[in-house]
Structure formats: C-alpha cells, structure tokens
Amino acid sequence: MFYEQNHTAREAAQTVANTAMTLNPVELVTPVNVDDEKELWIAAANEGEFINPQFKYDREKLTQAVIHGIQLRTASNILFNCCSPITDIDHAIKKILHHRVDDALCTANMAASILLGSNAGGSYAQRIYGTPDKLLVAECLQAAQRTEPAEELPTKYTSDQRAKLKECKYDASGIQQEFLRVVNLHAFKNWGVIISDQATAIDVRNKTSYGHPQVVIPITRKVDGLKLAELIGHELECHLRDSANAEALFAEHLSHAPLAPLIPLLAKSDDELFYEGHAKLSDVAINGNASLPKPYYTLAIDAALRNQSFAEIGEYIYRLRIENGEEKTSAIKGAWTATYRAMRGSFDTLGGYAFTKDYAYWTGYRLASEVQQFAPHYLDYASLTYEEIKLLDDAGFDLKHPRYPAMDLAANP
C-alpha cells in the first residue's frame, strides 16, 4: 500500500478505528425497557390479545453513536484519499475496509433515526444485512407448516450423555466461569466476558460502546450443561475464534503499517450470514435436530418488510407455531422472540420497519454446510463474509494455517 502521508494516514486510521469499533448495531437497537415490554406482551398474549410494545432506547448511547458517525465520515474520507493500493492484497484490504466503513455509517444512521423519532433505521439495517428473497420465504413457510419429523442427524453425544449434561445447571456466573476457561485455553487476547443487565441474549460483541470486545451474558440467563456446551461451541469456538483468526490474518500484513489500528475492524463484518452459519453447524453437531435453524425469524422479517405491525407479526408467528403442534406457552414465547428480533430498533412498532439480520441463521447454515464440503478452511475465518474470504484467498492470503485452530472444547463443559 502506498501512503501519501504516513502520519496523516495513521491518525485517520486511528480515528476510523476508534469510532467504527463503538458502533454495534445490536447494542444500539436493544431497548432499555425490553424486559418489561416482553412481560406485558406475553401476559396479554396469554389472554388472547396481541399488542404493540412501546420501546425506549438509551438516548445517551445513541447520541454518542451519531457523534462517532460524523467523525467517522470525515476521517474515512481522509484515509481513503491517503491510501493507494499496489498489490492484489492491498486492493482486497481496501475493498473490505470500504465495507466496514459503509456498515458503520449505516449503524450511525440507525441511531440517528431513532433519535429523530423515525423508523428509517430499517432501511439502513437492510443495507447491512440484505433481505430474504421470496423463494427463501416460501421455503421457510413450507418448513413451518411441515409436521413430519426430519431425519435425525448424528451428534457428538449419545442420548445418555445428553441426558446427563441436561442435569447440570449453570446461572450467569457459572456460564461466565466456563466461558473464561475456554477463552484462557485458546489464549484469546483482549476479550472480556461480562454479565450485564442490559443484554437480552448471550452475544459476542467485537464492537461495543466501550471500544473493546466483549462476550456479554444476560444477568438472568440460566442453562443446563447441554445448552452450555452448545453455547461454548457457538459463541466461543465459532464466533470468537473466527474473529480472532481473521484479526491474526490481517495483522500479518498490517501490524507495522499506518492501517494497523484498523485490524480489529477489518476482522469482523456486520453481515453475519456466514458467521451464524458456521455457528449453526456447531449447534447441530452438538444437539442434533433440536438445534437446526427455525424458519420463524425469516417469516417474521418478511412480515415486517410487508409493513405489518409488531402485534400482527406476533400473532402470525404464534398461529404458525400452534398449527405445527407447539404448546401455547412455548408458542407465545417463540412468537415474541422472532417478532422482537425483526422489530428491535423500531421507533414505532405499528409497522414500516424491519431489522433483517436474523434470516442469516437459515441461509447461513445452508451456505456453511456447502462450504464445509469444498473449502472447510474458510470456516476458520467466518467473521468475514464468504465473498470477502474468497477475495482474500484469490489475493494470496494464507488461509490454511489459522492462528487459533479448533480445539473442540465444547465437548468438555
């Protein structure tokens, strides 16, 4: 890479890193009152009434995201004007950096939309994550209406082993201890494992408002040993390991260059289709058919894209689950989860908004299954999109020797 002015390029790169790495879409679209609204919604649904929740957001965090977005736009313009690619590797790195800046600016615009009292943030989410096409939606609807059981897939555990694991119980503190054990055994650097009263699900966050990566565990989360094994495989041995490998890959080429501050940003795409697909492979290997991706997230997203309200989507998903033989309590909880994940970040839950991230589970599982057959080493870098990994492979990056090879620690929780 040729740099017009090394000092200017490094300063701009540092600013881009400092701002973009704070812009986590999921963190910003998580309402501060989600637990209360969930409780009210489930209580109403149990009485046969489906309602529209009223979400509130962390305005201080959103305001800071907007400020960082403005700073990022200026710094990235300077940076791109300072850098001229020379080799194929240079061109690949600069192209991926453009992806990261574009996604971060979309995230800042999502924050601005909420602050402005608008549902326009949905269009920015769709620029990051894309949208499911109608063939996929039709496939998911068929799956939701299918009543015959699928063929059982092989797993790492016998039925007796799974039963014994289910007898073990872990609260948030126990989950944290087991996660830290795995992080230390892999020798992952700079990752925190925290318990939070603001999280709704366990989440590996490369980007946070604190500016450093974290694995976040909801304070109320409790799991059995089988679910813990699945979480270790999904969140740590896939998500975190993928990110750490991608970071090491970029560090080989940039650790002494003006773009060095951007290594953590380059290592993780906000488009998580391949990322979630890899993790779903792990889930199914541990827990079999029970962990296959469900069609409901995609169907909820499609309904949201058709401008349906939270209440309408929730009832739609509930009816589908009931018709598929699910008992009422489970169907209501599942309907909330699918609808919430498609509508989080909306200012007005009456419709006209879709957060499209989570169709990645269904589509990503299929993609990862295919890639596992012809290029399994690509899965070690699944924090990047499949297209980005292919770009790096074609440019000459060594992808067959990951810094952090798989250790299968999920088998020993």
Side-chain angles (χ1 to χ4, degrees):
M1 192 84 71
F2 173 74
Y3 302 97
E4 291 288 347
Q5 299 179 47
N6 276 11
H7 180 70
T8 300
R10 185 174 290 276
E11 280 193 343
Q14 189 66 63
T15 302
V16 169
N18 290 347
T19 52
M21 289 301 291
T22 69
L23 294 168
N24 181 301
V26 171
E27 186 179 8
L28 293 171
V29 302
T30 300
V32 294
N33 64 334
V34 62
D35 290 338
D36 292 340
E37 290 299 310
K38 177 181 179 180
E39 186 177 337
L40 289 170
W41 195 89
I42 288 176
N46 271 308
E47 298 299 320
E49 182 184 5
F50 292 85
I51 62 176
N52 293 308
Q54 295 183 324
F55 291 140
K56 299 176 182 177
Y57 299 91
D58 187 330
R59 295 188 66 83
E60 182 179 345
K61 193 173 285 188
L62 293 170
T63 301
Q64 193 61 46
V66 170
I67 293 169
H68 283 165
I70 295 167
Q71 294 169 338
L72 171 62
R73 186 160 54 190
T74 300
S76 62
N77 286 337
I78 294 170
L79 180 61
F80 289 130
N81 285 326
C82 283
C83 302
S84 299
I86 300 171
T87 67
D88 288 346
I89 285 176
D90 293 343
H91 281 282
I93 289 172
K94 190 169 183 181
K95 186 171 184 178
I96 292 172
L97 181 56
H98 270 288
H99 295 171
R100 299 294 179 268
V101 169
D102 289 346
D103 285 353
L105 290 173
C106 282
T107 300
N109 274 288
M110 288 164 60
S113 298
I114 298 171
L115 284 174
L116 293 170
S118 165
N119 271 353
S123 63
Y124 291 103
Q126 291 151 40
R127 282 171 55 180
I128 296 173
Y129 305 115
T131 58
D133 65 28
K134 292 303 180 183
L135 286 173
L136 175 61
V137 175
E139 179 189 0
C140 287
L141 184 58
Q142 289 176 347
Q145 294 172 334
R146 191 178 299 129
T147 54
E148 68 275 11
E151 180 182 351
E152 284 294 328
L153 297 169
T155 71
K156 295 179 180 181
Y157 301 111
T158 66
S159 57
D160 286 345
Q161 288 172 324
R162 288 202 298 272
K164 287 181 180 178
L165 282 169
K166 285 183 177 180
E167 293 174 2
C168 303
K169 306 299 178 184
Y170 298 84
D171 60 9
S173 178
I175 297 169
Q176 182 187 41
Q177 290 177 16
E178 288 301 313
F179 277 17
L180 285 169
R181 176 182 67 85
V182 174
V183 167
N184 290 333
L185 285 171
H186 271 291
F188 295 131
K189 296 178 180 179
N190 304 318
W191 280 87
V193 180
I194 68 162
I195 297 171
S196 171
D197 60 0
Q198 295 298 310
T200 62
I202 292 175
D203 193 19
V204 174
R205 296 179 178 175
N206 300 66
K207 300 176 179 180
T208 72
S209 57
Y210 305 102
H212 53 81
Q214 296 174 331
V215 182
V216 183
I217 303 165
I219 194 169
T220 57
R221 190 66 191 271
K222 296 179 181 179
V223 300
D224 61 36
L226 183 60
K227 185 62 179 179
L228 176 63
E230 189 177 311
L231 288 168
I232 288 171
H234 185 114
E235 306 291 352
L236 305 182
E237 300 240 86
C238 290
H239 284 349
L240 201 163
R241 191 174 68 84
D242 295 344
S243 296
N245 278 330
E247 189 167 332
L249 196 67
F250 285 110
E252 290 177 19
H253 297 275
L254 296 176
S255 58
H256 300 295
L259 298 188
L262 296 165
I263 292 169
L265 177 65
L266 288 163
K268 173 64 173 62
S269 169
D270 284 335
D271 176 352
E272 296 184 342
L273 191 146
F274 196 42
Y275 183 72
E276 294 296 356
H278 182 208
K280 264 296 160 192
L281 284 182
S282 173
D283 292 349
V284 173
I286 289 170
N287 203 25
N289 287 34
S291 291
L292 283 168
K294 303 294 189 292
Y296 302 112
Y297 287 175
T298 301
L299 295 173
I301 287 168
D302 178 65
L305 288 167
R306 290 185 282 108
N307 297 322
Q308 292 192 11
S309 70
F310 195 110
E312 290 170 328
I313 299 167
E315 184 171 9
Y316 167 57
I317 300 299
Y318 168 74
R319 299 296 176 199
L320 285 173
R321 299 183 83 119
I322 288 292
E323 289 167 9
N324 200 247
E326 199 167 334
E327 57 93 15
K328 180 179 178 180
T329 299
S330 175
I332 289 173
K333 288 182 179 177
W336 162 269
T337 300
T339 309
Y340 163 72
R341 291 178 77 106
M343 294 288 285
R344 53 186 164 168
S346 56
F347 182 82
D348 181 353
T349 56
L350 288 173
Y353 176 91
F355 188 75
T356 56
K357 175 179 180 291
D358 291 325
Y359 80 96
Y361 293 96
W362 184 277
T363 309
Y365 176 71
R366 175 181 294 169
L367 173 62
S369 299
E370 293 170 357
V371 172
Q372 191 174 45
Q373 302 304 312
F374 66 83
H377 55 290
Y378 279 20
L379 295 170
D380 289 314
Y381 308 94
S383 61
L384 309 173
T385 68
Y386 171 76
E387 293 77 14
E388 289 170 350
I389 298 170
K390 186 70 169 63
L391 179 67
L392 295 179
D393 196 9
D394 292 344
F397 279 77
D398 176 13
L399 302 178
K400 293 189 176 180
H401 302 91
R403 175 72 59 83
Y404 302 97
M407 295 175 66
D408 200 22
L409 298 175
N412 299 288

